[in-house]
Amino acid sequence: MFLYLSKFLPLFLYPAGLTFLLLALALLLRRHPRWQTRLIAVALVVLWLGGNRITTMAVVRTLEGRHIPSPNAGVPQADAIVVLGGGTRSPEYPRPMAEVGEAGDRVLYAGYLYQNGAAPLIVVSGAALPWNGQNRPTEAEAMVDLLMLTGVPRDAIVLEPHARNTYENAVESLKILDDLGIDNIILVTSALHMPRAYAIFAQLPLDVIPAPTDYAFTQADWDLYTQPKLSAQLLNLVPNADNLEVMTRALKEYIGIIVYRLRGWL
């Protein structure tokens, strides 16, 4: 129940859900036009801030900027690569195969690291969430299929199919790594997710090298959209769905960090 509530309740703190909640309250207060107007105004501000490109980039950079690798760092070296789930879609009808999602760069980057000699083994971590139905393929299984498409041999991939969240990714992966006698890893996940993931894995008896991927914005994006030009700023003025989605993912991470600290996981 806690896992489900941890996914459901924050929906009303994200820009789209909060805007919906404020507008729903405004409808209920039709006999109080002053409060109704205030709620509608706040809803518009939330929608604009949540979908504004500059606001979104600024918030995202506070997370993605924490583990940026050096341009000349080269390919990291370790005994295993651990890839966290969340970037795949299961191979269920009518999909002909497992597919990459928005964060699918995690799988592609892990394949790239393996092909370039970063580590001889890849651990893929991710379960099927219980409320998504029974007997569905796990995220780990989907990642195996996609990694093999990148040329990674099946015997170089180890499944961890039980983890339902980032904390369990770390705990369950450690069990496998201990059995294999491995204590140094390359951790692959989205750049937005890396601060929380690294903080958890770094508490374990492991030497962890963060290898973030799936960056929402680049330095070139920031330079382009923060320049004092009318054409650039007009693009920033109107909120759009893409920015709302990225802002939601960033806020999800901050909420996750708060919840994990309250639970004593960080």
Side-chain angles (χ1 to χ4, degrees):
M1 178 59 72
F2 172 80
L3 182 63
Y4 179 77
L5 291 176
S6 70
K7 303 291 185 182
F8 176 73
L9 293 179
L11 293 176
F12 297 102
L13 299 178
Y14 303 146
L18 184 54
T19 299
F20 166 79
L21 184 61
L22 290 168
L23 292 177
L25 290 173
L27 284 175
L28 295 175
L29 294 175
R30 285 176 294 180
R31 296 183 180 180
H32 304 275
R34 180 175 297 179
W35 278 104
Q36 186 178 55
T37 301
R38 290 173 178 172
L39 287 172
I40 292 173
V42 173
L44 289 173
V45 170
V46 169
L47 183 63
W48 181 72
L49 289 177
N52 179 280
R53 195 187 309 267
I54 291 295
T55 307
T56 302
M57 286 195 298
V59 173
V60 165
R61 281 164 63 92
T62 64
L63 292 166
E64 291 192 342
R66 298 189 192 183
H67 295 283
I68 296 178
S70 168
N72 303 315
V75 176
Q77 301 290 315
D79 290 335
I81 301 165
V82 177
V83 193
L84 305 189
T88 59
R89 298 188 178 100
S90 61
E92 297 174 296
Y93 180 82
R95 295 177 186 140
M97 54 175 276
E99 297 177 356
V100 294
E102 171 61 31
D105 298 330
R106 303 178 185 187
V107 182
L108 300 179
Y109 189 41
Y112 168 85
L113 289 172
Y114 176 87
Q115 297 292 357
N116 283 273
L121 191 71
I122 300 178
V123 178
V124 290
S125 177
L129 295 178
W131 55 82
N132 286 341
Q134 298 293 325
N135 302 318
R136 300 191 69 178
T138 65
E139 291 181 324
E141 291 169 324
M143 285 193 284
V144 169
D145 293 342
L146 293 170
L147 283 170
M148 291 176 65
L149 287 177
T150 70
V152 179
R154 179 61 186 85
D155 58 6
I157 309 171
V158 179
L159 268 77
E160 185 295 289
H162 306 296
R164 300 166 298 171
N165 56 37
T166 307
Y167 175 76
E168 292 182 3
N169 283 142
V171 172
E172 297 298 331
S173 294
L174 180 61
K175 295 176 183 177
I176 292 173
L177 295 168
D178 277 346
D179 289 341
L180 296 172
I182 293 173
D183 61 5
N184 60 94
I185 64 168
I186 299 168
L187 180 63
V188 176
T189 189
S190 298
L192 268 174
H193 183 228
M194 184 59 79
R196 180 160 55 115
Y198 179 79
I200 293 173
F201 273 82
Q203 296 181 106
L204 304 178
L206 293 171
D207 181 12
V208 183
I209 302 172
T213 186
D214 183 35
Y215 283 86
F217 298 108
T218 65
Q219 183 62 45
D221 292 327
W222 180 262
D223 294 340
L224 174 63
Y225 291 110
T226 55
Q227 59 182 313
K229 289 177 60 177
L230 180 61
S231 59
Q233 296 311 314
L234 284 177
L235 292 173
N236 298 330
L237 185 62
V238 180
N240 66 56
D242 289 341
N243 292 331
L244 281 171
E245 191 272 334
V246 176
M247 176 66 86
T248 296
R249 287 195 284 131
L251 294 177
K252 175 184 175 182
E253 286 306 314
Y254 274 115
I255 291 172
I257 290 170
I258 293 171
V259 171
Y260 277 31
R261 284 178 177 168
L262 291 174
R263 298 207 70 182
W265 293 347
L266 287 179

